[in-house]
Amino acid sequence: MTEQAYLPAMGLRWLLPLYDPFCRLAGVARVHRELIERAELRPGQRVLEIGCGTGTLLSALVRRHPGVEATGIDPDAGSLRRARRKAARAGLHIDYRPAYAGRLPLPDASVDRVVSSLMLHHLDDDEHRRALREVRRVLRPGGQLHVLDIAGSHAPRSRRLAATGADHVLAAMLEAGLTDAAENGRGRTRFGPVAFYRAEVAA
């Protein structure tokens, strides 16, 4: 994997051990459950999470839907090690791979659902566009993208990039060739509101 700049979980690598406790404190599990419900998964479907971090979302997803084929990608080796250990301890079959959202290591039209949790706001404009084009490429006809992210006006000022704010998110989805892009609800963590988005590939 060719190295490029990225923001690790918690912002700094040495803070990684605090990531899972922070998620529990923030009440992320609740909004993860909402995201999983919105994805409307069925047995046999292939699910990809971009920016999987330590595997919190995919672990919950596979417990809820053990019949799906789950893959998670993240550029951070430390996060992936933790995700793999977490899956092994729980007996969950999840394929974790090192990769960037803008360069997905999957064939065209090979995925039924792409999910993303609290990650897209970390990407700059160019990587955000590349990531959504890659999502469009790997989704099968009728496949869907489901995103959970910080509600735009509450993102840290220094991180208000293309991925924050509903107008930017939806416009970028449409520009990437996805259809029926919509914000389909809001949620809340202990540290502020979040938004849910969806889009799909025309059948």
Side-chain angles (χ1 to χ4, degrees):
M1 183 178 71
T2 303
E3 191 72 21
Q4 69 182 59
Y6 67 91
L7 189 69
M10 295 298 294
L12 297 168
R13 287 185 176 87
W14 65 271
L15 290 174
L16 180 60
L18 300 178
Y19 182 73
D20 286 345
F22 174 82
C23 287
R24 288 192 292 271
L25 177 64
V28 170
R30 182 176 62 256
V31 290
H32 276 178
R33 286 194 295 270
E34 292 184 43
L35 181 64
I36 292 166
E37 288 299 316
R38 291 166 190 272
E40 299 181 330
L41 297 165
R42 299 189 301 274
Q45 288 185 322
R46 188 176 192 187
V47 182
L48 168 69
E49 182 183 5
I50 55 174
C52 63
T54 63
T56 301
L57 173 60
L58 279 188
S59 292
L61 186 151
V62 173
R63 286 190 181 97
R64 179 74 173 82
H65 297 282
V68 304
E69 179 184 351
T71 299
I73 66 100
D74 198 284
D76 186 63
S79 292
L80 291 176
R81 283 193 295 271
R82 287 176 177 270
R84 290 174 183 133
R85 287 199 298 266
K86 191 182 298 184
R89 285 196 300 267
L92 303 174
H93 299 288
I94 303 172
D95 176 22
Y96 287 111
R97 307 184 190 183
Y100 296 96
R103 287 179 278 163
L104 298 176
L106 296 171
D108 295 357
S110 60
V111 174
D112 298 289
R113 297 287 187 273
V114 175
V115 295
S116 172
S117 171
L118 303 172
M119 186 278 292
L120 285 181
H121 68 275
H122 290 309
L123 305 182
D124 65 23
D125 291 343
D126 290 340
E127 185 67 3
H128 185 241
R129 286 192 290 267
R130 282 193 295 269
L132 289 175
R133 287 196 297 266
E134 280 289 272
V135 167
R136 168 66 182 84
R137 179 183 66 79
V138 302
L139 277 173
R140 295 181 174 123
Q144 298 173 2
L145 167 65
H146 291 270
V147 172
L148 163 68
D149 213 343
I150 295 170
S153 62
H154 295 270
R157 185 173 301 276
S158 63
R159 300 301 303 171
R160 284 182 190 169
L161 305 173
T164 62
D167 290 344
H168 284 124
V169 172
L170 300 179
M173 288 176 171
L174 294 173
E175 181 185 343
L178 297 161
T179 63
D180 295 330
E183 180 183 342
N184 64 339
R186 292 285 177 109
R188 178 168 287 278
T189 69
R190 290 191 178 94
F191 294 96
V194 294
F196 296 92
Y197 302 95
R198 73 174 304 282
E200 60 185 63
V201 174

